[in-house]
Amino acid sequence: MITDLLDIDTSRRLLVDLTEDVRRFCSSQSDGLCSVFVPHATAGLALMETGSGSDDDLVDALQRLLPRDDRYRHRHGSPGHGADHVLPALISPSVTVPVLDGTLLLGTWQSVVLVDLNRDNPRRSVRLSFIAG
């Protein structure tokens, strides 16, 4: 297994497209699987279309599902931070993408996206792992 760790700044964005980073990581590999994992209790990863409004639609939907108010039992951090801890139950902290001859086998409009609504921690680690097939 080959691994790498990305350090991502989410202070200016709630969604960060990681596709090019994942492509670069896999480009020198052969056939196998690329696992992308965010080891944080308040962030997740998604495969989705970006740049066409879908990214804003996802953020809007998550903010409607997980309002930033005092309804949560988990209360440390900024107001509504409990919502951040529910996010990974809805948006998985990992995705796996097949790789063929160093090429990610994503669909035409799919991108690998880090989802981070948590404003208390703008630094995220993302672990990439390649498992040869």
Side-chain angles (χ1 to χ4, degrees), residues 94-119:
S94 67
V95 298
T96 302
V97 181
V99 177
L100 181 63
D101 196 27
T103 301
L104 292 176
L105 297 181
L106 291 170
T108 302
W109 304 111
Q110 284 182 317
S111 296
V112 180
V113 179
L114 172 65
V115 181
D116 183 14
L117 305 183
N118 180 2
R119 300 299 83 200

PDB file of all heavy atoms in Angstrom, residues 94-119:
ATOM      1  N   SER A  94     -15.105   8.668   4.041  1.00  0.00           N
ATOM      2  CA  SER A  94     -14.218   8.017   3.075  1.00  0.00           C
ATOM      3  C   SER A  94     -14.936   7.716   1.774  1.00  0.00           C
ATOM      4  O   SER A  94     -16.157   7.554   1.743  1.00  0.00           O
ATOM      5  CB  SER A  94     -13.643   6.724   3.658  1.00  0.00           C
ATOM      6  OG  SER A  94     -14.662   5.765   3.838  1.00  0.00           O
ATOM      7  N   VAL A  95     -14.160   7.661   0.700  1.00  0.00           N
ATOM      8  CA  VAL A  95     -14.624   7.185  -0.604  1.00  0.00           C
ATOM      9  C   VAL A  95     -13.518   6.327  -1.195  1.00  0.00           C
ATOM     10  O   VAL A  95     -12.338   6.511  -0.879  1.00  0.00           O
ATOM     11  CB  VAL A  95     -14.993   8.330  -1.586  1.00  0.00           C
ATOM     12  CG1 VAL A  95     -16.142   9.170  -1.051  1.00  0.00           C
ATOM     13  CG2 VAL A  95     -13.799   9.198  -1.909  1.00  0.00           C
ATOM     14  N   THR A  96     -13.896   5.397  -2.038  1.00  0.00           N
ATOM     15  CA  THR A  96     -12.940   4.542  -2.739  1.00  0.00           C
ATOM     16  C   THR A  96     -13.206   4.661  -4.236  1.00  0.00           C
ATOM     17  O   THR A  96     -14.361   4.562  -4.664  1.00  0.00           O
ATOM     18  CB  THR A  96     -13.072   3.080  -2.293  1.00  0.00           C
ATOM     19  OG1 THR A  96     -12.860   3.016  -0.879  1.00  0.00           O
ATOM     20  CG2 THR A  96     -12.051   2.197  -2.990  1.00  0.00           C
ATOM     21  N   VAL A  97     -12.135   4.884  -4.998  1.00  0.00           N
ATOM     22  CA  VAL A  97     -12.265   5.059  -6.437  1.00  0.00           C
ATOM     23  C   VAL A  97     -11.392   4.022  -7.137  1.00  0.00           C
ATOM     24  O   VAL A  97     -10.207   3.890  -6.810  1.00  0.00           O
ATOM     25  CB  VAL A  97     -11.820   6.481  -6.864  1.00  0.00           C
ATOM     26  CG1 VAL A  97     -11.985   6.672  -8.362  1.00  0.00           C
ATOM     27  CG2 VAL A  97     -12.592   7.542  -6.098  1.00  0.00           C
ATOM     28  N   PRO A  98     -11.956   3.278  -8.107  1.00  0.00           N
ATOM     29  CA  PRO A  98     -11.133   2.344  -8.871  1.00  0.00           C
ATOM     30  C   PRO A  98     -10.131   3.104  -9.745  1.00  0.00           C
ATOM     31  O   PRO A  98     -10.404   4.215 -10.211  1.00  0.00           O
ATOM     32  CB  PRO A  98     -12.133   1.572  -9.734  1.00  0.00           C
ATOM     33  CG  PRO A  98     -13.477   2.117  -9.456  1.00  0.00           C
ATOM     34  CD  PRO A  98     -13.357   3.241  -8.489  1.00  0.00           C
ATOM     35  N   VAL A  99      -8.975   2.470  -9.959  1.00  0.00           N
ATOM     36  CA  VAL A  99      -7.905   3.062 -10.769  1.00  0.00           C
ATOM     37  C   VAL A  99      -7.486   2.030 -11.807  1.00  0.00           C
ATOM     38  O   VAL A  99      -7.263   0.861 -11.481  1.00  0.00           O
ATOM     39  CB  VAL A  99      -6.692   3.446  -9.887  1.00  0.00           C
ATOM     40  CG1 VAL A  99      -5.560   3.997 -10.726  1.00  0.00           C
ATOM     41  CG2 VAL A  99      -7.110   4.448  -8.814  1.00  0.00           C
ATOM     42  N   LEU A 100      -7.380   2.436 -13.063  1.00  0.00           N
ATOM     43  CA  LEU A 100      -6.939   1.562 -14.147  1.00  0.00           C
ATOM     44  C   LEU A 100      -5.766   2.231 -14.848  1.00  0.00           C
ATOM     45  O   LEU A 100      -5.912   3.330 -15.385  1.00  0.00           O
ATOM     46  CB  LEU A 100      -8.082   1.303 -15.127  1.00  0.00           C
ATOM     47  CG  LEU A 100      -7.784   0.385 -16.300  1.00  0.00           C
ATOM     48  CD1 LEU A 100      -7.431  -1.020 -15.810  1.00  0.00           C
ATOM     49  CD2 LEU A 100      -8.970   0.338 -17.248  1.00  0.00           C
ATOM     50  N   ASP A 101      -4.614   1.589 -14.776  1.00  0.00           N
ATOM     51  CA  ASP A 101      -3.398   2.111 -15.411  1.00  0.00           C
ATOM     52  C   ASP A 101      -3.129   3.562 -15.003  1.00  0.00           C
ATOM     53  O   ASP A 101      -2.819   4.417 -15.829  1.00  0.00           O
ATOM     54  CB  ASP A 101      -3.504   1.981 -16.931  1.00  0.00           C
ATOM     55  CG  ASP A 101      -2.150   2.131 -17.615  1.00  0.00           C
ATOM     56  OD1 ASP A 101      -1.105   1.833 -16.987  1.00  0.00           O
ATOM     57  OD2 ASP A 101      -2.131   2.581 -18.784  1.00  0.00           O
ATOM     58  N   GLY A 102      -3.281   3.834 -13.708  1.00  0.00           N
ATOM     59  CA  GLY A 102      -2.988   5.169 -13.176  1.00  0.00           C
ATOM     60  C   GLY A 102      -4.071   6.204 -13.389  1.00  0.00           C
ATOM     61  O   GLY A 102      -3.892   7.369 -13.030  1.00  0.00           O
ATOM     62  N   THR A 103      -5.207   5.812 -13.970  1.00  0.00           N
ATOM     63  CA  THR A 103      -6.290   6.747 -14.254  1.00  0.00           C
ATOM     64  C   THR A 103      -7.471   6.476 -13.325  1.00  0.00           C
ATOM     65  O   THR A 103      -7.924   5.331 -13.216  1.00  0.00           O
ATOM     66  CB  THR A 103      -6.755   6.598 -15.720  1.00  0.00           C
ATOM     67  OG1 THR A 103      -5.643   6.854 -16.578  1.00  0.00           O
ATOM     68  CG2 THR A 103      -7.881   7.562 -16.036  1.00  0.00           C
ATOM     69  N   LEU A 104      -7.961   7.526 -12.677  1.00  0.00           N
ATOM     70  CA  LEU A 104      -9.155   7.393 -11.840  1.00  0.00           C
ATOM     71  C   LEU A 104     -10.349   7.073 -12.728  1.00  0.00           C
ATOM     72  O   LEU A 104     -10.558   7.734 -13.744  1.00  0.00           O
ATOM     73  CB  LEU A 104      -9.456   8.703 -11.099  1.00  0.00           C
ATOM     74  CG  LEU A 104      -8.495   9.149 -10.015  1.00  0.00           C
ATOM     75  CD1 LEU A 104      -8.924  10.508  -9.468  1.00  0.00           C
ATOM     76  CD2 LEU A 104      -8.448   8.131  -8.898  1.00  0.00           C
ATOM     77  N   LEU A 105     -11.128   6.085 -12.335  1.00  0.00           N
ATOM     78  CA  LEU A 105     -12.303   5.710 -13.115  1.00  0.00           C
ATOM     79  C   LEU A 105     -13.554   6.404 -12.574  1.00  0.00           C
ATOM     80  O   LEU A 105     -14.529   5.774 -12.192  1.00  0.00           O
ATOM     81  CB  LEU A 105     -12.472   4.187 -13.119  1.00  0.00           C
ATOM     82  CG  LEU A 105     -11.336   3.411 -13.777  1.00  0.00           C
ATOM     83  CD1 LEU A 105     -11.620   1.921 -13.750  1.00  0.00           C
ATOM     84  CD2 LEU A 105     -11.090   3.892 -15.203  1.00  0.00           C
ATOM     85  N   LEU A 106     -13.482   7.732 -12.574  1.00  0.00           N
ATOM     86  CA  LEU A 106     -14.629   8.548 -12.174  1.00  0.00           C
ATOM     87  C   LEU A 106     -15.573   8.714 -13.354  1.00  0.00           C
ATOM     88  O   LEU A 106     -15.140   8.676 -14.513  1.00  0.00           O
ATOM     89  CB  LEU A 106     -14.160   9.935 -11.713  1.00  0.00           C
ATOM     90  CG  LEU A 106     -13.376  10.003 -10.411  1.00  0.00           C
ATOM     91  CD1 LEU A 106     -12.782  11.384 -10.226  1.00  0.00           C
ATOM     92  CD2 LEU A 106     -14.259   9.629  -9.233  1.00  0.00           C
ATOM     93  N   GLY A 107     -16.855   8.917 -13.051  1.00  0.00           N
ATOM     94  CA  GLY A 107     -17.812   9.235 -14.100  1.00  0.00           C
ATOM     95  C   GLY A 107     -17.519  10.605 -14.684  1.00  0.00           C
ATOM     96  O   GLY A 107     -16.768  11.402 -14.111  1.00  0.00           O
ATOM     97  N   THR A 108     -18.127  10.894 -15.808  1.00  0.00           N
ATOM     98  CA  THR A 108     -17.864  12.134 -16.547  1.00  0.00           C
ATOM     99  C   THR A 108     -17.927  13.373 -15.672  1.00  0.00           C
ATOM    100  O   THR A 108     -17.073  14.250 -15.765  1.00  0.00           O
ATOM    101  CB  THR A 108     -18.866  12.270 -17.705  1.00  0.00           C
ATOM    102  OG1 THR A 108     -18.742  11.119 -18.552  1.00  0.00           O
ATOM    103  CG2 THR A 108     -18.608  13.528 -18.512  1.00  0.00           C
ATOM    104  N   TRP A 109     -18.914  13.456 -14.801  1.00  0.00           N
ATOM    105  CA  TRP A 109     -19.112  14.668 -14.021  1.00  0.00           C
ATOM    106  C   TRP A 109     -18.735  14.501 -12.557  1.00  0.00           C
ATOM    107  O   TRP A 109     -18.986  15.388 -11.749  1.00  0.00           O
ATOM    108  CB  TRP A 109     -20.558  15.145 -14.128  1.00  0.00           C
ATOM    109  CG  TRP A 109     -20.965  15.361 -15.539  1.00  0.00           C
ATOM    110  CD1 TRP A 109     -21.859  14.616 -16.253  1.00  0.00           C
ATOM    111  CD2 TRP A 109     -20.470  16.352 -16.441  1.00  0.00           C
ATOM    112  NE1 TRP A 109     -21.956  15.084 -17.535  1.00  0.00           N
ATOM    113  CE2 TRP A 109     -21.106  16.160 -17.682  1.00  0.00           C
ATOM    114  CE3 TRP A 109     -19.545  17.383 -16.332  1.00  0.00           C
ATOM    115  CZ2 TRP A 109     -20.864  16.953 -18.794  1.00  0.00           C
ATOM    116  CZ3 TRP A 109     -19.293  18.173 -17.436  1.00  0.00           C
ATOM    117  CH2 TRP A 109     -19.944  17.959 -18.639  1.00  0.00           C
ATOM    118  N   GLN A 110     -18.131  13.374 -12.199  1.00  0.00           N
ATOM    119  CA  GLN A 110     -17.798  13.133 -10.789  1.00  0.00           C
ATOM    120  C   GLN A 110     -16.477  13.779 -10.388  1.00  0.00           C
ATOM    121  O   GLN A 110     -15.490  13.699 -11.124  1.00  0.00           O
ATOM    122  CB  GLN A 110     -17.709  11.634 -10.508  1.00  0.00           C
ATOM    123  CG  GLN A 110     -19.051  10.955 -10.419  1.00  0.00           C
ATOM    124  CD  GLN A 110     -18.895   9.488 -10.095  1.00  0.00           C
ATOM    125  OE1 GLN A 110     -18.042   8.792 -10.634  1.00  0.00           O
ATOM    126  NE2 GLN A 110     -19.741   9.008  -9.195  1.00  0.00           N
ATOM    127  N   SER A 111     -16.475  14.359  -9.213  1.00  0.00           N
ATOM    128  CA  SER A 111     -15.274  14.899  -8.577  1.00  0.00           C
ATOM    129  C   SER A 111     -15.228  14.387  -7.148  1.00  0.00           C
ATOM    130  O   SER A 111     -16.259  14.075  -6.554  1.00  0.00           O
ATOM    131  CB  SER A 111     -15.308  16.428  -8.556  1.00  0.00           C
ATOM    132  OG  SER A 111     -15.277  16.950  -9.861  1.00  0.00           O
ATOM    133  N   VAL A 112     -14.022  14.322  -6.584  1.00  0.00           N
ATOM    134  CA  VAL A 112     -13.840  13.949  -5.181  1.00  0.00           C
ATOM    135  C   VAL A 112     -13.809  15.250  -4.385  1.00  0.00           C
ATOM    136  O   VAL A 112     -12.949  16.101  -4.625  1.00  0.00           O
ATOM    137  CB  VAL A 112     -12.529  13.163  -4.970  1.00  0.00           C
ATOM    138  CG1 VAL A 112     -12.365  12.784  -3.510  1.00  0.00           C
ATOM    139  CG2 VAL A 112     -12.483  11.929  -5.875  1.00  0.00           C
ATOM    140  N   VAL A 113     -14.752  15.395  -3.449  1.00  0.00           N
ATOM    141  CA  VAL A 113     -14.938  16.669  -2.762  1.00  0.00           C
ATOM    142  C   VAL A 113     -14.888  16.479  -1.246  1.00  0.00           C
ATOM    143  O   VAL A 113     -15.535  15.585  -0.704  1.00  0.00           O
ATOM    144  CB  VAL A 113     -16.303  17.290  -3.153  1.00  0.00           C
ATOM    145  CG1 VAL A 113     -16.541  18.596  -2.435  1.00  0.00           C
ATOM    146  CG2 VAL A 113     -16.387  17.481  -4.654  1.00  0.00           C
ATOM    147  N   LEU A 114     -14.105  17.329  -0.578  1.00  0.00           N
ATOM    148  CA  LEU A 114     -14.089  17.399   0.882  1.00  0.00           C
ATOM    149  C   LEU A 114     -15.208  18.334   1.316  1.00  0.00           C
ATOM    150  O   LEU A 114     -15.332  19.448   0.801  1.00  0.00           O
ATOM    151  CB  LEU A 114     -12.737  17.942   1.367  1.00  0.00           C
ATOM    152  CG  LEU A 114     -12.599  18.265   2.852  1.00  0.00           C
ATOM    153  CD1 LEU A 114     -12.726  17.008   3.701  1.00  0.00           C
ATOM    154  CD2 LEU A 114     -11.264  18.957   3.117  1.00  0.00           C
ATOM    155  N   VAL A 115     -16.047  17.866   2.238  1.00  0.00           N
ATOM    156  CA  VAL A 115     -17.167  18.646   2.756  1.00  0.00           C
ATOM    157  C   VAL A 115     -16.855  18.993   4.204  1.00  0.00           C
ATOM    158  O   VAL A 115     -16.665  18.108   5.039  1.00  0.00           O
ATOM    159  CB  VAL A 115     -18.493  17.842   2.685  1.00  0.00           C
ATOM    160  CG1 VAL A 115     -19.651  18.673   3.216  1.00  0.00           C
ATOM    161  CG2 VAL A 115     -18.760  17.364   1.261  1.00  0.00           C
ATOM    162  N   ASP A 116     -16.775  20.291   4.496  1.00  0.00           N
ATOM    163  CA  ASP A 116     -16.401  20.738   5.838  1.00  0.00           C
ATOM    164  C   ASP A 116     -17.172  21.995   6.195  1.00  0.00           C
ATOM    165  O   ASP A 116     -16.797  23.095   5.805  1.00  0.00           O
ATOM    166  CB  ASP A 116     -14.895  20.991   5.903  1.00  0.00           C
ATOM    167  CG  ASP A 116     -14.423  21.397   7.278  1.00  0.00           C
ATOM    168  OD1 ASP A 116     -15.185  21.237   8.252  1.00  0.00           O
ATOM    169  OD2 ASP A 116     -13.284  21.884   7.384  1.00  0.00           O
ATOM    170  N   LEU A 117     -18.259  21.831   6.939  1.00  0.00           N
ATOM    171  CA  LEU A 117     -19.063  22.979   7.367  1.00  0.00           C
ATOM    172  C   LEU A 117     -18.564  23.560   8.686  1.00  0.00           C
ATOM    173  O   LEU A 117     -19.034  24.601   9.132  1.00  0.00           O
ATOM    174  CB  LEU A 117     -20.528  22.567   7.521  1.00  0.00           C
ATOM    175  CG  LEU A 117     -21.193  21.913   6.312  1.00  0.00           C
ATOM    176  CD1 LEU A 117     -22.661  21.628   6.607  1.00  0.00           C
ATOM    177  CD2 LEU A 117     -21.041  22.761   5.072  1.00  0.00           C
ATOM    178  N   ASN A 118     -17.613  22.891   9.320  1.00  0.00           N
ATOM    179  CA  ASN A 118     -17.095  23.278  10.638  1.00  0.00           C
ATOM    180  C   ASN A 118     -16.175  24.492  10.514  1.00  0.00           C
ATOM    181  O   ASN A 118     -15.110  24.414   9.921  1.00  0.00           O
ATOM    182  CB  ASN A 118     -16.334  22.094  11.240  1.00  0.00           C
ATOM    183  CG  ASN A 118     -15.742  22.376  12.597  1.00  0.00           C
ATOM    184  OD1 ASN A 118     -15.908  23.451  13.148  1.00  0.00           O
ATOM    185  ND2 ASN A 118     -15.049  21.404  13.135  1.00  0.00           N
ATOM    186  N   ARG A 119     -16.572  25.597  11.098  1.00  0.00           N
ATOM    187  CA  ARG A 119     -15.741  26.809  11.052  1.00  0.00           C
ATOM    188  C   ARG A 119     -14.767  26.879  12.222  1.00  0.00           C
ATOM    189  O   ARG A 119     -13.930  27.770  12.275  1.00  0.00           O
ATOM    190  CB  ARG A 119     -16.628  28.061  11.051  1.00  0.00           C
ATOM    191  CG  ARG A 119     -17.576  28.142   9.869  1.00  0.00           C
ATOM    192  CD  ARG A 119     -16.903  28.198   8.498  1.00  0.00           C
ATOM    193  NE  ARG A 119     -16.543  26.878   8.006  1.00  0.00           N
ATOM    194  CZ  ARG A 119     -15.639  26.626   7.065  1.00  0.00           C
ATOM    195  NH1 ARG A 119     -15.014  27.582   6.482  1.00  0.00           N
ATOM    196  NH2 ARG A 119     -15.371  25.420   6.687  1.00  0.00           N
TER     197      ARG A 119
END
